[in-house]
Structures are given as structure tokens and as C-alpha cells.
Amino acid sequence: MEQEIRKIQELRELLHRQNYNYYVLNSPEISDRQFDELLAELDALEKKHPETYDPNSPTQRVGSDITKGFSQVDHLYPMLSLSNTYSIDEVDAWVGRIDETIPGQKFEIVGELKFDGTGISLVYEKGKLIRAVTRGDGIHGDDVTANVRTIKTIPLVLTGNDYPDFFEIRGEIVLPWKAFEKMNQERQYKGETLFANPRNAAAGTLKLQNSAEVARRGLDAYLYYLLGDNLPYDNHYDNMQAAKRWGFKISDAMTLLHDIKEVDEYINHWDTARRELPVATDGLVFKVNSLRQQLNLGFTAKSPRWAVAYKFAAERAATRLRFVSFDVGRMGIITPVANLEPVLLSGTVVKRASMHNQDIMQALDVHDNDMLFVEKGGEIIPKITGVETSQRIPGAKPIEFVSHCPACGSPLIRIEGEAAWICPNKMGCIPQIVGRLEHFVGRKMMNIDGIGQETAMLLYNHGLVKNIADLYDLTAEKVETLPGLARKSAERIIDGIQASKSVPFERVVYALSIPYVGETTAKKVAKAAKDIDTLMAMKPEQLESIEDVGSRIALAITDYFADTYNREIVERLRQAGVCMQLSPEQASGPKSDTLQGKTFVISGVFALNSREEYKNMIESHGGKNSGSISKKTDFVLAGENMGPAKLEKAAKLGIPIIDENQFLTMIGENQPH
Ligand code: IVH
């Protein structure tokens, strides 16, 4: 009894952490299936002990994708999820339950792919797309109409004449494998973090504030659910075929199935055939075809009874552990990595797999030479998900986490409240030094062309560069001496280093590798401090008054600048001519307070200045930008091609719509063009 209550607590904590890893960090440590199993275990225990009820338990929680900067819209019908199954037997049992619930009735089942993207609801009125909303928490979601309009396979205007006057259609926005790979290649090149899988990439892309960038990324959409009062047919399949004629992308894999045998064949077929698909799928969905029967079967609180998901097994292989190594990252974080006997897993040979951190490694209880299960879930790096203990070699010892840095030998430290062990030897530990060099030269930081991982390592190994400031002492003659580097590449590197001196201050702050200071934080900190001397002198309390800077970041910044070594580096960078303050334009602060207290929404395409320039103008005159129209909006600055939904909303709320000339007049910058 007490043990069960303790187990409830443990499971809640574990699942909360895994939710965080999945949704916030985008790096799940356990598979979806393990998650579902643990959640089911927790659910059963909570039912047995109703006194432990907690509205914050992971069982009570629905995931939500609601994001700041988008306006929220209520769904016309709640967006529910599907119950999951993991085997043919479980699907067959579901078919059996249908049979029992509507006894004596024949029923057809529609088999579909379960697309692994991000759910979307589209509303059409009089044949025109009027709104696109994310799932959100199922009750209301974010209005992402502007971004969805850029997806070429979503019709803005329908073809034919047999569509209802008003209806909703739901589907999945996906990023095809090819586009996903291209995007990650670009991100790697720019030194940005990679998306773990096409699902995260699609969801992230849909929430960008810049529709032009959304359009560039190549999203696609498959539709699978039609809702409304006047649907043309009384069954799901025919309605979807009608939707196909209206211009929607409906997968050809959607098939009418007549009995359990056909259902099983469908599963067996797609279990392997899915590997050839151009988009990621994580399973199949089975739906009762007749809308009348759907109505009879109804819904539970979370999902329809007339549909079920069958999840594909994550591709898994078993192989022997050769040894465990411990990787050291740019910030000194130690990651245990299983080095394996090479094994083929969904088309690629796997030799290394992550075990994330000490907690996970201990939970796995890996021993020397163990037979391990390695899985490629939705992540790029395969991970170890279990041990085949029956094949453990007698006398094998458990693997221990290192106590000292494998690269430099320093005793490791563990920051309270975090799972990671860290090597504190920031200045003498090679992978950290080279990692920081690589970061510094990255596209989004100093953007120094010609230096990648390999060149950074070469520069270090040949004693030419020991820290980021040394880069500025390089000459083409010195670089040319490195193996494999011709004069031309050497010159390109030197040009890149020269050019980096004009990189704006906020990117310099990001390039320094201050722990926890990412791109956005760097920008905010740079804008608040204005120059490096002020930043270096700031107290934690002052830093904490900057938007998005909490005590952890504030402390990381003060610690960083308290270090004389770092101060010397900064001084040398300054001497070399690296930009250490905001540009006069950025620093002069608001040009006027003409727009004080006014909130603008910018929409459409402009002729005289770019959107970005208008945003800056609004801010420099004291105004605020917002991504979506609401009661709080004071003006809509409209260019060409402003979306009809936005126009309508602005009109409805009585918000004045101004064009660029009117805006420029407002801030006194209108010169006749
Ligand atoms: S039907 C009420 N069909 O899977 C039923 N969903 O776990 C509505 N999904 O939220 C969903 N492919 O985002 C349905 N062919 C498909 C699907 C599909 C992917 C997603 C969808 C849903 C989630 C449920």
C-alpha cells in the first residue's frame, strides 16, 4: 500500500521529467511506448488510490502547443487524441469491441497512415480557407493562418461545387524527410541546434513569426478528418475522396477494409512499406467508416471509440557493448556513450548510442560487454533502451560513471538539481576549448567562413589557436602551414576573420559561450547592457531585471566575467577590433516616443521598407510589435496581400488599418518617394 503510493510519486516525477524532455528540450530519453506504458501503470495505481488525486498529475494533463505571440482561437469541436495499440492482437481486440458495441451490424474500417507531424484544423467558408489553428490544448489552439497559407498543398480556394458552405477539415502538417534533412544540414552549417525529427521541425516551423521563412522550408499537409453539418456523404471514406476532388491532399494509402483479415494484412504491409514513404509516419489509424456508426460508438473523455492508432515498433536491434566512453561538450557536460559492435538499424550502421546522463545510465544498469538494445526513435542519435540480462557474461561488472574528466582528468562536479556532471576545467580541457572555437566561428555567431570542426581542431593541435582571441592573430602565412590547407583556403579564413569584426555586439555576446546564454538571451542582454564594460560590471540583480534572465543565467554571466581569463579574452577581442557595443543606432534608444503605448500588427508585403525595418521603426519610436490582432492592437500596418482573415478581424474589432505611407507620416519620416 505505502509502496504503491510511493510508486505513484515516483512515476509522476519521472513522467513530468520525460514530458519536459519531450516537449521543451525536444530530446526524449525514453521511447513513446515506454512512456505510454509508464503512464498506464500510473493511471491504474491512481485509480486504485483515488485519495492521491492531483490535478497536476501527468495522467490529468493534456499536452499543449500554445505559444506566445499567436492569438488563441476556440476549436469548433475539441481536438481529441487517439488511443494507442502496439500489436495486431490489440487492434483485433478493438475490432472485437466494435462488434460487441454495435451487435449484428456490418461495418467497414478505413485504414490510414498515422502521419508524424503536427495536427492542424482548417476552416473553410464558401470555398475559401478562413482559419488555420493548431491543436493547442485540444480546446483552443494558436491561429497560424498566415503561416499555413504558405503551404502549397493546402488549397486556399476549393475546386468543384459539392463542398459544404462551412466546414472544418483536420490533418497533419509534415516536413518531408528530404526537406527535413536539407534544413538540418543548413542548421548544422550555421551552428544552430538540430531538430531531432521531422515532427519537431514541422511544429517549430509552423510557429515561426516570419511567414516567408515558413514558405522556404517546404512544409506539406495530409488531411484525414472532415467535420461539419452538411457533409456530402454518410461515410468517412467517400467524404475524404470528395475532399481530394476539392483540392486537398489525401493519402493514397487510405484504404477501405472489410474484415479483420484485411486489417491484419494492412498492418503487415505498412510495417515495412512505411520505410519507403517520403514523410515520417509513426503508425496507422483505423476508423469505422460509417458516420452513423461513429455516432453510435461515440467518444471517451480523451478519444473516439470509433478509431484507434496502431503504433509502429521503434526499430530496435540488439548488439554487444564494446566499451562506454564519456563525451565532453563545449560547456563541459559529460555524456555517457555506448560504443557498440556495429549493427544495422533502419538502413544505417550504428556504432555509438547515447545514454544521456548518469541517472539514465544507472537506470539501465549496464554491465561490461552486455547485450544492449539500441533504438532509433524519432531522434537523430540512437539510444540505448535496455539490456538483455539473460545474455550477461558471468562476473561482468556494472559500468561506473566517471569521476574525472576523460579528456583532462579534472574531478567532475554536479550542479545541484541537474542530472549532468560537468568538467570544471573550462580553460584547459581540449574538447571544451575546441568546442567553443567551433561555436565562436558558427554562422549565427561570428560567421567565420572556412573554419569547421576539423579546421578548429587543426588550428588547436598545431598550436596556432588556443582560444577565441588567438584567431585574430592569425595570418594567411601561418594558416597555410596547416596540413591540407592551400593558400586560397587560408586567405578565405583570414578574410572571414576580418569580416567578423563588423558582426553586431549581440552576436559577439552569443559567440562567447557563456553558459545558458543562447541566441535570444544574448540579444536581450546586449540590448540592455549596450556595451561590454557595462555588461561585465553588472550585478546579478541588475541582470535579473532583464526580460527572460533568471537567477541561473544571471549567475552564469557574473561568474563568466568574474574570471580574469575571460576578461583578458574580451580585452584582446576588443583590441583586435571586435565590436563591443551596440551600434549608435541601436544604442540611441527610442528616437521618439510618438508611438508610446501603441501596439502594432504588421501584415503583408511592403514596397518602401522591409517588415523587419518597420518593426525596428515601431520600436525605436516607443511602440510595440505583436504577431496577432487582438483587442489590444492599436494599428494594423498593412502592405500588399494582407490575409482576408486578418482584415476581417481588424474590421470586426474596429482597429484602424494604415498603409506604409500613413505610418511613415505618423513617425515624421515620410519623404516623397
Ligand atoms: S484522426 C478524433 N488520422 O495523431 C480523431 N489522426 O494521436 C482525430 N494523426 O491528434 C485524429 N495521422 O494529430 C487521425 N490518419 C490520421 C492521423 C492522425 C496522424 C495524429 C493527429 C492526432 C494524433 C492522435
Side-chain angles (χ1 to χ4, degrees):
M1 164 88 184
E2 238 171 57
Q3 209 176 351
E4 285 183 339
I5 305 237
R6 213 167 327 127
K7 185 80 191 167
I8 290 179
Q9 285 316 331
E10 274 173 28
L11 284 170
R12 283 179 182 169
E13 273 169 40
L14 181 74
L15 291 168
H16 275 310
R17 213 176 49 227
Q18 294 309 327
N19 260 325
Y20 176 78
N21 286 332
Y22 186 94
Y23 288 106
V24 183
L25 303 181
N26 281 337
S27 77
E29 292 171 341
I30 58 176
S31 67
D32 289 2
R33 181 181 187 151
Q34 282 170 309
F35 185 92
D36 281 350
E37 281 166 3
L38 292 168
L39 195 68
E41 186 183 345
L42 175 60
D43 198 39
L45 284 171
E46 286 179 346
K47 288 215 171 89
K48 219 169 135 189
H49 299 283
E51 74 282 5
T52 64
Y53 172 79
D54 176 356
N56 295 320
S57 167
T59 53
Q60 303 301 315
R61 205 176 126 132
V62 214
S64 167
D65 66 36
I66 287 176
T67 311
K68 263 203 294 197
F70 288 91
S71 57
Q72 269 88 58
V73 180
D74 290 346
H75 287 299
L76 304 173
Y77 311 86
M79 268 177 107
L80 301 175
S81 52
L82 295 169
S83 55
N84 288 331
T85 61
Y86 293 94
S87 65
I88 287 194
D89 285 350
E90 284 177 86
V91 176
D92 292 354
W94 169 78
V95 177
R97 281 198 300 279
I98 306 275
D99 217 1
E100 282 165 22
T101 323
I102 47 171
Q105 295 183 28
K106 273 195 158 288
F107 57 93
E108 289 172 323
I109 287 173
V110 181
E112 301 177 15
L113 295 173
K114 186 168 188 302
F115 296 100
D116 199 10
T118 183
I120 193 77
S121 143
L122 308 173
V123 179
Y124 285 78
E125 199 174 341
K126 300 200 176 1
K128 295 207 172 85
L129 173 67
I130 60 163
R131 197 164 52 238
V133 186
T134 65
R135 190 183 119 89
D137 58 7
I139 304 300
H140 28 249
D142 283 340
D143 184 334
V144 287
T145 314
N147 286 346
V148 164
R149 280 179 189 285
T150 68
I151 302 174
K152 297 198 180 58
T153 45
I154 292 185
L156 301 179
V157 179
L158 304 182
T159 358
N161 52 17
D162 61 336
Y163 46 76
D165 205 40
F166 184 92
F167 68 91
E168 178 174 350
I169 189 163
R170 290 184 185 167
E172 203 83 354
I173 297 203
V174 295
L175 190 67
W177 284 114
K178 274 218 176 96
F180 169 70
E181 276 148 23
K182 178 165 162 259
M183 178 171 132
N184 259 355
Q185 267 163 15
E186 281 177 20
R187 292 177 78 85
Q188 185 152 34
Y189 183 64
K190 290 183 192 160
E192 297 169 2
T193 43
L194 303 188
F195 278 113
N197 50 50
R199 172 179 11 95
N200 291 341
T205 302
L206 199 61
K207 293 296 182 77
L208 290 175
Q209 301 286 352
N210 176 350
S211 300
E213 175 63 16
V214 179
R216 212 181 64 78
R217 292 211 184 154
L219 292 176
D220 200 349
Y222 289 89
L223 285 308
Y224 46 64
Y225 190 20
L226 193 63
L227 296 109
D229 291 332
N230 304 303
L231 305 185
Y233 298 96
D234 66 358
N235 70 84
H236 172 61
Y237 186 82
D238 287 336
N239 279 328
M240 294 320 293
Q241 299 312 311
K244 195 183 243 176
R245 296 194 296 274
W246 305 335
F248 292 104
K249 189 159 179 173
I250 312 293
S251 165
D252 290 334
M254 193 178 277
T255 309
L256 262 184
L257 306 166
H258 302 90
D259 51 38
I260 285 206
K261 191 166 150 270
E262 286 185 15
V263 169
D264 295 357
E265 279 166 6
Y266 192 80
I267 296 178
N268 285 327
H269 170 73
W270 284 110
D271 256 338
T272 47
R274 64 146 167 151
R275 297 192 194 129
E276 318 296 326
L277 291 167
V279 295
T281 53
D282 61 339
L284 303 172
V285 180
F286 295 101
K287 299 173 181 167
V288 170
N289 191 28
S290 148
L291 300 190
R292 186 180 46 79
Q293 288 173 334
Q294 286 189 3
L295 207 65
N296 283 342
L297 289 158
F299 293 83
T300 69
K302 287 185 185 166
S303 51
R305 285 197 198 86
W306 47 262
V308 75
Y310 161 83
K311 302 271 269 192
F312 293 132
E315 294 198 55
R316 181 163 115 148
T319 185
R320 285 269 171 211
L321 173 67
R322 291 175 55 224
F323 59 92
V324 174
S325 59
F326 293 84
D327 277 7
V328 188
R330 161 172 75 98
M331 296 299 189
I333 293 175
I334 310 290
T335 307
V337 176
N339 291 260
L340 309 161
E341 293 295 345
V343 61
L344 194 66
L345 188 59
S346 35
T348 51
V349 177
V350 176
K351 292 186 208 140
R352 283 161 59 87
S354 172
M355 293 193 285
H356 301 283
N357 55 45
Q358 186 185 29
D359 291 353
I360 299 276
M361 191 179 105
Q362 274 172 356
L364 286 165
D365 191 29
V366 178
H367 286 49
D368 283 330
N369 294 106
D370 262 353
M371 183 64 91
L372 300 180
F373 293 117
V374 45
E375 262 181 38
K376 237 194 211 166
E379 297 74 51
I380 301 168
I381 306 161
K383 61 182 173 216
I384 300 298
T385 54
V387 179
E388 182 53 274
T389 41
S390 67
Q391 294 196 44
R392 179 162 288 159
I393 290 161
K397 291 204 182 67
I399 306 274
E400 285 188 26
F401 203 86
V402 278
S403 58
H404 290 70
C405 174
C408 73
S410 307
L412 301 179
I413 54 169
R414 189 167 183 168
I415 296 173
E416 219 183 276
E418 291 188 30
W421 283 95
I422 289 180
C423 165
N425 183 15
K426 303 246 169 287
M427 304 312 159
C429 179
I430 295 172
Q432 294 189 58
I433 300 171
V434 177
R436 285 197 300 267
L437 263 178
E438 269 174 56
H439 172 78
F440 185 79
V441 300
R443 260 293 172 97
K444 285 216 153 181
M445 301 61 145
M446 305 306 280
N447 190 18
I448 301 178
D449 250 4
I451 307 184
Q453 190 174 12
E454 253 169 69
T455 318
M457 201 67 207
L458 269 179
L459 286 166
Y460 179 82
N461 282 343
H462 287 75
L464 291 182
V465 176
K466 293 205 182 52
N467 56 54
I468 52 179
D470 288 345
L471 283 169
Y472 294 87
D473 295 337
L474 287 176
T475 57
E477 288 70 31
K478 282 192 206 165
V479 177
E480 209 185 3
T481 62
L482 293 177
L485 273 167
R487 179 78 190 183
K488 236 182 154 175
S489 341
E491 277 169 4
R492 188 162 138 232
I493 290 174
I494 299 301
D495 288 349
I497 293 172
Q498 279 306 323
S500 75
K501 295 177 185 171
S502 57
V503 161
F505 178 51
E506 65 253 30
R507 277 170 51 186
V508 177
V509 174
Y510 180 31
L512 292 175
S513 281
I514 306 171
Y516 308 118
V517 177
E519 191 185 357
T520 318
T521 312
K523 215 178 246 175
K524 292 191 170 148
V525 166
K527 286 226 165 100
K530 296 197 172 61
D531 60 61
I532 197 80
D533 292 316
T534 314
L535 179 58
M536 290 201 290
M538 277 171 103
K539 302 246 160 7
E541 328 56 280
Q542 293 170 300
L543 286 161
E544 277 183 55
S545 68
I546 302 171
E547 195 188 348
D548 285 354
V549 176
S551 54
R552 188 168 79 160
I553 301 180
L555 208 63
I557 297 175
T558 44
D559 277 357
Y560 182 91
F561 290 117
D563 195 312
T564 35
Y565 182 86
N566 288 333
R567 297 176 80 95
E568 272 170 35
I569 296 276
V570 167
E571 199 42 50
R572 283 182 58 206
L573 291 174
R574 188 208 313 260
Q575 294 298 332
V578 171
C579 179
M580 289 297 173
Q581 71 271 325
L582 294 180
S583 65
E585 205 168 85
Q586 284 175 310
S588 63
K591 281 190 180 160
S592 79
D593 53 8
T594 321
L595 307 179
Q596 192 64 48
K598 300 281 182 250
T599 302
F600 285 75
V601 171
I602 303 185
S603 179
V605 186
F606 298 91
L608 304 176
N609 296 287
S610 70
R611 275 169 86 102
E612 213 41 49
E613 283 164 335
Y614 280 122
K615 276 193 181 164
N616 289 338
M617 286 185 214
I618 289 170
E619 277 169 24
S620 65
H621 288 276
K624 264 173 93 177
N625 287 294
S626 156
S628 56
I629 301 173
S630 71
K631 280 184 292 210
K632 291 186 198 128
T633 313
D634 294 290
F635 294 99
V636 175
L637 172 52
E640 290 292 313
N641 295 334
M642 174 173 168
K646 274 198 176 163
L647 268 175
E648 196 181 308
K649 192 158 184 194
K652 213 158 128 196
L653 295 170
I655 299 165
I657 300 176
I658 55 171
D659 65 17
E660 47 188 336
N661 277 309
Q662 288 169 304
F663 173 75
L664 292 170
T665 311
M666 234 169 151
I667 57 168
E669 286 199 11
N670 203 359
Q671 309 116 350
H673 275 263

